[in-house]
Amino acid sequence: MPHDPYAWIETSLATIHRANWYRSVQTIEGRPGATVVLAGQEVINFASNDYLGLAGDERLMAAAIAAIEEFGTGSTGSRLLSGHRELHKELEKAIAFIKQTEDALVFSSGYLANLGVITALVGKRDLILSDQYNHSSLKNGAILSGAAVIEYLHCNVTALKIQLSQQRQNYRRCLILTDSVFSMDGDLCPMPALLDLADEFDCMLLVDEAHATGVLGKTGAGCVEHFGCTGKPLIQIGTLSKALGSLGGYVAGSSALIDFLQNRAPSWIYTTALSPADTAAALAAIKILQQEPRRRAQLWENMRYLKTLLEQLPNLKLLPSESPILCFQLPNTIDALQTGKHLKDAGIFAPAIRPPTVPTSRIRISVMATHKVAHIEKLVAVLKQGNGEWGVGEV
Ligand SMILES: *Cc1c(COP(=O)(O)O)cnc(C)c1O
């Protein structure tokens, strides 16, 4: 009976198209920055995670080039075999220093850091409680771990407490997972309350600082610092790929934790060490973070200015945010896609985010320290015009 075992792929793609969920890549030319060239058109960039504008910074580039000249392009093996360089340890020390933790460990990406850490910490006899809006890497790490997974209502401490009271005693270890800045909404987790619950119910707490590192807190250490929770017993994950302008992920915590992960985290043990260029660029970024607090201050000035202007637009359904991620809601995927296209035609790059990434369609704007007042005002002017002409925010 002849049958094409791959035929289902075309059928699946057709379903994705019908739901307006289809996605494809868009080419950016040249270096990243507050403006970029997108498919030949110069646009103001509100789509990147390069919050501090460091991904195209000459100093990061020079550090990466110098590292390539000294160490070559590839690290040639896993950290435990031929891949470890002094540069990795230097970067890990710098991360531990800004986080005020005993130690840190770098992974090839933030995604791999979450997969590796979660699977090392819990297994079949354990329980994971996970915020329903957590990043894909936390959700998939939870599934991969084999632990029982319960999602709690977004940022809802009462719902979490009920789950803990009912379920905690049935399991050996318990791990609470949360983004610290929610990546597709921009709001913050209730960290102090989560720490209290973790303490009360004997749970580990893992916070993902991907969008907070370099952005929040007095020294840019992240949400943990912002909430005054530095030094508390928690596990911090993050990325080198957003505000730090490089590529890679990390975990920061106690020396015992890091020691354990070097022996038990498969996505660290069985993968090639971070490249010399990426490692050196991230290290250069951390130095800039410490030497130039003005950059972060400018990011927040830009964010507050834009937020104030957006709040004055009638009909614009702005989602609650306490970060440089500002989203406004649209009634459906088609409207979100059209709004994204209108913005692009008007020289603004701000993507439509749709299900299944998020439950409701929206335009996601991320502010950079290197945006000029004129960039922000142009975005608002275009949205204002859209309010009349193509119905932004008629939810
Ligand atoms: C981006 C992101 C990650 C993944 O980090 P990468 O270094 O890009 O793999 C993990 N968690 C959250 C919350 C993120 O936003």
Side-chain angles (χ1 to χ4, degrees):
M1 198 218 277
H3 180 71
D4 177 0
Y6 303 99
W8 65 270
I9 296 175
E10 295 292 344
T11 317
S12 254
L13 268 173
T15 309
I16 294 170
H17 275 291
R18 265 200 310 278
N20 286 304
W21 286 10
Y22 183 75
R23 305 199 266 187
S24 61
V25 298
Q26 307 183 71
T27 305
I28 303 253
E29 290 150 46
R31 282 189 208 166
T35 62
V36 288
V37 177
L38 176 66
Q41 179 199 358
E42 175 153 335
V43 289
I44 307 170
N45 183 10
F46 289 101
S48 93
N49 298 315
D50 185 19
Y51 296 109
L52 298 174
L54 291 178
D57 190 284
E58 298 281 351
R59 293 163 291 181
L60 271 73
M61 288 163 52
I65 292 166
I68 287 176
E69 279 172 351
E70 188 173 356
F71 301 106
T73 48
S75 56
T76 80
S78 66
R79 289 283 293 281
L80 292 172
L81 296 177
S82 64
H84 178 69
R85 307 285 177 276
E86 192 50 35
L87 206 52
H88 293 121
K89 199 61 241 171
E90 246 182 275
L91 174 58
E92 287 165 345
K93 278 190 191 148
I95 293 167
F97 180 80
I98 60 166
K99 293 282 179 180
Q100 295 291 298
T101 55
E102 286 175 359
D103 208 351
L105 188 64
V106 292
F107 285 71
S108 303
S109 76
Y111 208 112
L112 286 170
N114 274 325
L115 295 188
V117 173
I118 297 167
T119 52
L121 292 176
V122 288
K124 284 196 182 66
R125 295 159 62 195
D126 306 318
L127 173 66
I128 285 177
L129 285 153
S130 177
D131 188 290
Q132 68 178 142
Y133 286 2
N134 275 343
H135 188 260
S136 160
S137 54
L138 292 168
K139 293 188 179 213
N140 279 325
I143 294 168
L144 193 59
S145 75
V149 183
I150 300 175
E151 288 202 334
Y152 60 88
L153 292 173
H154 179 51
C155 287
N156 191 322
V157 177
T158 314
L160 174 59
K161 184 165 184 171
I162 291 169
Q163 294 288 359
L164 283 167
S165 335
Q166 290 171 353
Q167 303 287 343
R168 175 67 186 96
Q169 76 271 16
N170 301 327
Y171 296 91
R172 180 184 59 170
R173 300 177 199 142
C174 179
L175 175 64
I176 301 171
L177 299 178
T178 187
D179 282 17
S180 69
V181 173
F182 285 86
S183 56
M184 294 299 142
D185 298 79
D187 55 344
L188 310 184
C189 75
M191 196 177 295
L194 294 177
L195 272 165
D196 287 346
L197 281 183
D199 182 47
E200 184 182 344
F201 289 91
D202 185 29
C203 303
M204 300 177 280
L205 173 62
L206 182 154
V207 297
D208 184 338
E209 293 265 61
H211 290 275
T213 307
V215 173
L216 275 118
K218 195 161 166 285
T219 70
C223 222
V224 173
E225 182 182 42
H226 168 80
F227 280 117
C229 297
T230 307
K232 297 279 187 202
L234 44 71
I235 297 166
Q236 299 181 53
I237 301 282
T239 180
L240 309 173
S241 331
K242 288 173 178 153
L244 299 180
S246 181
L247 177 67
Y250 66 81
V251 55
S254 71
S255 326
L257 171 75
I258 301 307
D259 216 11
F260 175 77
L261 291 173
Q262 289 183 345
N263 289 276
R264 281 288 183 274
S267 67
W268 184 83
I269 299 171
Y270 301 106
T271 198
T272 303
L274 212 57
S275 82
D278 292 324
T279 312
L283 195 54
I286 291 180
K287 284 186 191 137
I288 294 171
L289 194 69
Q290 291 165 323
Q291 288 161 3
E292 296 178 7
R294 181 69 209 135
R295 239 169 221 279
R296 200 166 48 261
Q298 187 63 54
L299 171 63
W300 283 94
E301 276 172 36
N302 290 352
M303 180 273 193
R304 290 201 185 95
Y305 184 50
L306 176 59
K307 198 174 179 189
T308 308
L309 295 179
L310 292 179
E311 280 166 352
Q312 289 163 14
L313 292 186
N315 304 328
L316 198 83
K317 288 259 163 41
L318 208 58
L319 297 178
S321 166
E322 293 163 81
S323 74
I325 300 167
L326 297 170
C327 298
F328 61 89
Q329 244 181 317
L330 288 152
N332 55 55
T333 53
I334 294 173
D335 284 5
L337 287 173
Q338 274 173 354
T339 304
K341 183 167 182 318
H342 282 302
L343 289 171
K344 195 156 74 180
D345 291 345
I348 303 283
F349 184 25
I353 311 285
R354 292 165 280 163
T357 307
V358 287
T360 55
S361 295
R362 66 201 64 182
I363 295 289
R364 179 177 183 272
I365 297 161
S366 52
V367 182
M368 297 173 68
T370 46
H371 281 138
K372 302 276 179 269
V373 166
H375 295 146
I376 292 168
E377 289 176 351
K378 168 86 188 285
L379 166 64
V380 175
V382 170
L383 287 173
K384 222 177 226 167
Q385 192 189 4
N387 241 330
E389 290 173 18
W390 31 273
V392 181
E394 282 168 13
V395 177

